[in-house]
Amino acid sequence: MTRDLTGDFQTQRQAVNQMPYPTLTVRRDRLARLARMTKHHKLEIIRAIQTDFGQRSDVEIRMAEISAVLHAIRHTRLHLWHWMRPWSVSMPWRLMPARARIAPQPLGVVGVISPWNYPWSLALMPVVDAVAAGNVVMLKPSEHSPATSALLQRLVPQYFTPEEFKVVEGDVEVARRFSGLPFDHLVFTGSSAVGRQVAQAAAANLTPTTLELGGKSPAIVAGDANIDKAAADIIFGKGMNAGQTCIAPDYVLVESRHISALVKALGEAIQRQRPDDHAATRAISVAHQQRIDAMLQEASDHGCRIIDHGPHAPALIIDPHQGLQVMREEIFGRCLPVIGVSDMSAAMHYVNARPHPLALYAFTHDKGLQQQLLQTTRSGALVFNATLLHHAVPSLPFGGLGESGMGAYHGRHGFERFSHLRGIFYQAKRSASSMLYPPYRRWLIKLLGLG
């Protein structure tokens, strides 16, 4: 059956026209319903996600899917009253005693296209921010996580009217038509290749977009780092969801003189954190598993040293050739290349010679090196001595640049992303603005510094 996407969109457009500025009470109520939907159906959410993956850690689902959404909602409901308030801005002396303010206003109808790797949280996190900003939302969840998408399709109408929040299931063709709707803002999370197509479709309507595209996020291990702690943090980030995370460490750069020690520490961290490979999270599909297996086989065929602790645990590839698929593409799986470099300058040059990543992880406590990394590299986020955890900070913007995306959301940054920050000018009852009218006087031109 072909979905009437235009009809769904027009229903929401009419709702926006009838309520262009939802009150704080309305917005907080919608956020509360999102929280209830997630909290009251957590067991169904876990079962659906496990069905989609074949096998996925119960704890990881609770942490990265359910708790992440509930934490974002709590933070947003607490601070929303403050975010919604207009604020005053300074006025040039030449225009005094006029006043100026900025007032956040809802954009209208926001479209969200979500991915399969975190099918609950990455579907609802943009919705939290869009609803907080006073918008209504249409969501197209991924067809590659059908059980979770079907659950969203079933649950959302129990908590929201179609005018507030509408879920649209469908295949690639539905996603293509969805991208072409004249939304007031469109959010896409997924691959760079599909992101380009989404941006092109949105451009026909001049629809502004937020693109979260991932990329090859490096981890740099400096000479002063605690090797064991760095290895544990890297394996935590790589092991989460079997590496199917847009901000997972994609490869590791380390000074060549420390590579043996780091490889040993990484192997030990895998054995500690992932002792039962059979209980590990699976690849989302057979095709995705075959792609990862092909990367490992190609590296092996080219003589790379591979340290593999099981078919689902992180697999280390030592100093792979740059022409290999594992180095050309975002891995989005369990492969972890470990590359030796001469020094930290070489590591930074390596990162800067490639597209900007969504995250850059640097393991060092050297303040000078931290400042150098801050000033000379570009990435969506810069994280010192940890992996993934920045995503759990609602006050930090989350987003990429260049190949890793455009725009950022989360917390206040998301509220403002899905708002129009409307400039407002208030002229005073008594003002000297008439002096600016022509004919222009010489003394005024001199006073205004225009001469």
Side-chain angles (χ1 to χ4, degrees), residues 183-327:
F183 291 111
D184 297 294
H185 199 101
L186 179 61
V187 185
F188 169 80
T189 304
S191 70
S192 298
V194 179
R196 285 185 173 87
Q197 298 173 20
V198 170
Q200 287 177 347
N205 296 305
L206 295 180
T207 298
T209 57
T210 295
L211 305 177
E212 303 297 347
L213 307 179
K216 297 182 75 64
S217 295
I220 297 175
V221 181
D224 72 299
N226 181 320
I227 295 292
D228 291 334
K229 177 66 165 59
D233 287 336
I234 291 169
I235 294 305
F236 165 73
K238 191 64 170 182
M240 175 73 70
N241 201 25
Q244 299 167 121
T245 304
C246 59
I247 53 174
D250 193 272
Y251 61 93
V252 182
L253 299 173
V254 60
E255 292 182 14
S256 296
R257 61 195 174 99
H258 297 300
I259 191 169
S260 295
L262 179 62
V263 168
K264 180 176 181 292
L266 289 168
E268 292 171 350
I270 294 170
Q271 292 177 327
R272 284 196 308 272
Q273 295 182 26
R274 306 288 170 177
D276 184 5
D277 180 67
H278 296 290
T281 298
R282 300 292 193 258
I284 186 67
S285 65
V286 172
H288 192 63
Q289 182 64 54
Q290 290 173 341
R291 174 178 170 272
I292 298 301
D293 291 343
M295 286 184 174
L296 283 169
Q297 187 61 53
E298 183 188 34
S300 178
D301 292 344
H302 282 75
C304 295
R305 179 187 171 204
I306 297 176
I307 301 174
D308 195 349
H309 291 268
H312 307 292
L316 309 180
I317 305 174
I318 314 305
D319 276 328
H321 186 274
Q322 294 303 305
L324 297 179
Q325 184 183 5
V326 76
M327 295 309 301

Side-chain angles (χ1 to χ4, degrees), residues 19-39:
M19 188 188 294
Y21 191 88
T23 64
L24 172 62
T25 300
V26 169
R27 300 184 200 194
R28 296 188 80 224
D29 172 65
R30 290 173 178 174
L31 290 169
R33 280 183 271 155
L34 271 178
R36 286 199 300 273
M37 184 177 75
T38 299
K39 188 181 299 183

Side-chain angles (χ1 to χ4, degrees), residues 60-280:
E60 288 184 5
I61 295 174
R62 292 175 183 272
M63 179 169 55
E65 302 274 13
I66 296 170
S67 178
V69 171
L70 295 177
H71 183 64
I73 293 172
R74 282 195 297 270
H75 177 82
T76 300
R77 293 186 81 234
L78 178 64
H79 296 281
L80 184 55
W81 69 273
H82 178 65
W83 299 345
M84 288 178 63
R85 293 173 58 186
W87 65 92
S88 299
V89 296
S90 60
M91 180 66 61
W93 69 266
R94 297 172 181 84
L95 299 180
M96 289 180 177
R99 296 180 296 113
R101 307 181 86 192
I102 296 175
Q105 291 195 318
L107 293 175
V109 184
V110 172
V112 177
I113 303 177
S114 61
W116 54 261
N117 58 323
Y118 291 91
W120 190 265
S121 62
L122 289 184
L124 293 189
M125 295 286 269
V127 175
V128 170
D129 293 346
V131 166
N135 303 288
V136 299
V137 181
M138 286 180 66
L139 167 66
K140 164 63 179 74
S142 175
E143 65 275 15
H144 297 296
S145 49
T148 310
S149 296
L151 182 62
L152 282 163
Q153 175 81 61
R154 178 169 64 84
L155 292 182
V156 166
Q158 298 177 25
Y159 290 84
F160 296 90
T161 67
E163 293 81 6
E164 295 174 308
F165 183 13
K166 179 73 175 180
V167 176
V168 176
E169 281 192 287
D171 57 12
V172 174
E173 174 58 25
V174 172
R176 186 190 64 78
R177 292 191 289 116
F178 189 94
S179 302
L181 292 173
F183 291 111
D184 297 294
H185 199 101
L186 179 61
V187 185
F188 169 80
T189 304
S191 70
S192 298
V194 179
R196 285 185 173 87
Q197 298 173 20
V198 170
Q200 287 177 347
N205 296 305
L206 295 180
T207 298
T209 57
T210 295
L211 305 177
E212 303 297 347
L213 307 179
K216 297 182 75 64
S217 295
I220 297 175
V221 181
D224 72 299
N226 181 320
I227 295 292
D228 291 334
K229 177 66 165 59
D233 287 336
I234 291 169
I235 294 305
F236 165 73
K238 191 64 170 182
M240 175 73 70
N241 201 25
Q244 299 167 121
T245 304
C246 59
I247 53 174
D250 193 272
Y251 61 93
V252 182
L253 299 173
V254 60
E255 292 182 14
S256 296
R257 61 195 174 99
H258 297 300
I259 191 169
S260 295
L262 179 62
V263 168
K264 180 176 181 292
L266 289 168
E268 292 171 350
I270 294 170
Q271 292 177 327
R272 284 196 308 272
Q273 295 182 26
R274 306 288 170 177
D276 184 5
D277 180 67
H278 296 290

